[in-house]
Amino acid sequence: MHRGSCLCGAVRFTVEGELPAPDACHCGRCRKHSGHYFVSTDVPRSAVTIEGEDTIRWFQSSEKARRGFCSVCGSSLFWDPLQRDWIGIAMGAFDTPTHTRIAVHVYMADKGDYYDVADGVPRFDTIPPKPH
């Protein structure tokens, strides 16, 4: 079981089971949403329990996804792809050790010019295809 929350604690969540390795998205939307690049793990909706859902505000950032944040403290918490059975949860919102590491950096072509990425993790200019 993994627990997490926003900065003020108005939104709390738990995730049952192991956390998949997260991805780091460097696209302009993720950078604006989070203030840097956005690192999140994609978990089945059925594995997530959220307390304080009425405090979450959703911003539809594209035709395909919306982003959730705490309306009290502003913490960026979720990336919600519409029409999918999973949700992305910000790694920085977890309270407990996650026992995982970034697996991939995506949208590197949109990366901000103020930082470097030198962690040896695979990098792509778009989202790589999923292996079959």
Side-chain angles (χ1 to χ4, degrees), residues 34-56:
S34 68
H36 195 37
Y37 58 90
F38 191 69
V39 181
S40 62
T41 183
D42 301 334
V43 298
R45 291 180 194 279
S46 60
V48 180
T49 302
I50 300 173
E51 297 174 37
E53 268 189 273
D54 58 327
T55 307
I56 300 170

Side-chain angles (χ1 to χ4, degrees), residues 38-94:
F38 191 69
V39 181
S40 62
T41 183
D42 301 334
V43 298
R45 291 180 194 279
S46 60
V48 180
T49 302
I50 300 173
E51 297 174 37
E53 268 189 273
D54 58 327
T55 307
I56 300 170
R57 294 299 174 263
W58 294 97
F59 172 71
Q60 182 118 11
S61 57
S62 73
E63 295 175 0
K64 298 179 181 179
R66 65 184 185 158
R67 296 162 189 271
F69 62 94
C70 174
S71 65
V72 177
C73 65
S75 294
S76 300
L77 300 169
F78 305 109
W79 187 81
D80 185 15
L82 307 172
Q83 312 300 321
R84 300 291 180 124
D85 61 353
W86 56 269
I87 188 167
I89 301 177
M91 293 304 296
F94 283 95

